[in-house]
Every structure is written in C-alpha cells, then in structure tokens.
Amino acid sequence: MTFTVGFDLDMTLIDPRAGIVEVFDVLAAETGIPLDGRAFATRLGPPLQHELARYRLDDATVRHLVRRYHELTPQLAVPRTVALPGAAEAVRAVVDRGGRAVVVTGKFAVNAAAHLNALGIEVSAVIGEVWSTGKAPALRELGAEVYVGDHIGDVTAARAADAMAVGVATGPVGAEDLAAAGADVVLPDLTGFPAWLASYLVATVH
C-alpha cells in the first residue's frame, strides 16, 4: 500500500533565515522602507504578505515587494539556505519505504523548488503560497496522511486535512505549544523521523 507524507518547508526541512535577512536588507535599501528581516526570520511560517501587512503599505507597494522578493530569492537566499538536521534523511525514509514525499508551503512554489533542488532533496510535488487551513485542500488532493511542520499553522493544516500532525520544534514554536495546538506527535527535529515513521507504518498496517 502506498502512502504520502507532506512536509512544510521553512524551518521544517530548510533554514533560509540568513538569506531572508539579506533579501530584506536589499529591499529596504531599494525602497527606503525600514523592513526588518531579522524580525521576520524569527516568525517564519505565514506567507510573505502577512509579514508585509505589519508595515501598513498600500497594495501596489506590497505587490512590488512580493514580486521583488521572489526575484531576489534565487540569487540571494537559495545559496545561503541550509538543510535542517535530518531533513534529507526524513524525505528519503518516506521514499525508501515506498511512499511519496511532497512539500506544501507558504513559500512561492518556484522558489521552494529551487531551495529543494539546490540541497538535493527530491520530492514528488511542491505546492506553494498556502497557509494554515489553506493547506488542507492541497494535502487532501495529494492524499497526504501525515503532515510534518514546525508551526501551529501546520498543525491546523494537518487537522483540517484529517492527516496525522507531526510537529518538529525547529522553528519559532516550541514543543509544548505544538502539542497544545493538537500535534499527534512532536519531535525535537527530523533526525528522529525515520524511526517514528517506521513505527507508524507498522502500527497502521501499511
């Protein structure tokens, strides 16, 4: 029996913070808007538009910043991004056991794929620019029975998609808060995911 595991991207599989700070610094220099990339890097999860709403900018300016952010990411953020501990092994564990690994993320899909390609992490599908319960339709369409993420929004997404919610405490949300939000299991990071997956597959008779 085949199965599908969905993964969030930022602070679940990858750590893009250094590159994100650099992109924000460039945008601030270009526009004169006091964008704070260091603060943004502490609350990754929601789409970029959520962060820009903090600055109370007009719609045209937000659209320009989003477009420019997307343009700058491949050259500035992708090269500085690193895989989080156990990320490649977690994805490979899914595939080695006959499953499908997919990514469902708030990040722009083209850039999400670029990050994964640069790090040599191969997945079957990448769905981008969805957040919290907005991820649920994609997870259901892909048939994900497990969704792994670092944010309360990821737990909410898994619940809305009737998927097993696996939290990893590698992002801005601590293990206790992930558990309180309804995660079925919380791991310190992805290094323990292959062992958890093996036990899950046995327990669910895959």
Side-chain angles (χ1 to χ4, degrees):
M1 180 183 296
T2 188
F3 64 97
T4 299
V5 175
F7 292 89
D8 175 51
L9 187 61
D10 286 353
M11 302 312 299
T12 297
L13 292 175
I14 67 171
D15 182 350
R17 290 175 294 183
I20 283 173
V21 170
E22 185 171 353
V23 171
F24 259 54
D25 286 348
V26 170
L27 288 175
E30 288 180 351
T31 63
I33 300 168
L35 300 169
D36 189 345
R38 287 156 188 81
F40 180 32
T42 68
R43 48 181 176 252
L44 296 180
L48 176 60
Q49 290 88 338
H50 289 217
E51 179 66 21
L52 295 176
R54 294 173 178 271
Y55 297 90
R56 301 189 179 187
L57 303 168
D58 62 81
D59 290 346
T61 300
V62 170
R63 287 194 298 270
H64 169 75
L65 289 170
V66 169
R67 182 173 64 251
R68 191 74 179 113
Y69 182 97
H70 291 165
E71 291 171 352
L72 291 169
T73 291
Q75 67 190 73
L76 297 181
V78 170
R80 300 193 66 184
T81 296
V82 297
L84 284 164
E89 294 81 1
V91 171
R92 191 160 56 245
V94 175
V95 177
D96 287 351
R97 290 182 172 275
R100 231 178 25 134
V102 299
V103 165
V104 179
T105 173
K107 189 180 286 295
F108 184 50
V110 172
N111 288 341
H115 280 290
L116 293 165
N117 291 338
L119 295 169
I121 299 174
E122 297 183 10
V123 297
S124 296
V126 177
I127 304 295
E129 296 186 279
V130 287
W131 165 242
S132 188
T133 56
K135 293 183 175 184
L139 292 170
R140 285 194 295 266
E141 182 179 346
L142 293 166
E145 63 183 83
V146 175
Y147 186 57
V148 186
D150 67 285
H151 200 283
I152 287 172
D154 299 323
V155 176
T156 303
R159 288 298 183 204
D162 293 323
M164 173 77 69
V166 177
V168 283
T170 46
V173 182
E176 290 184 2
D177 289 335
L178 290 168
D184 295 292
V185 61
V186 179
L187 305 173
D189 57 37
L190 286 173
T191 59
F193 181 80
W196 175 84
L197 179 66
S199 64
Y200 167 78
L201 293 176
V202 169
T204 51
V205 197
H206 280 74

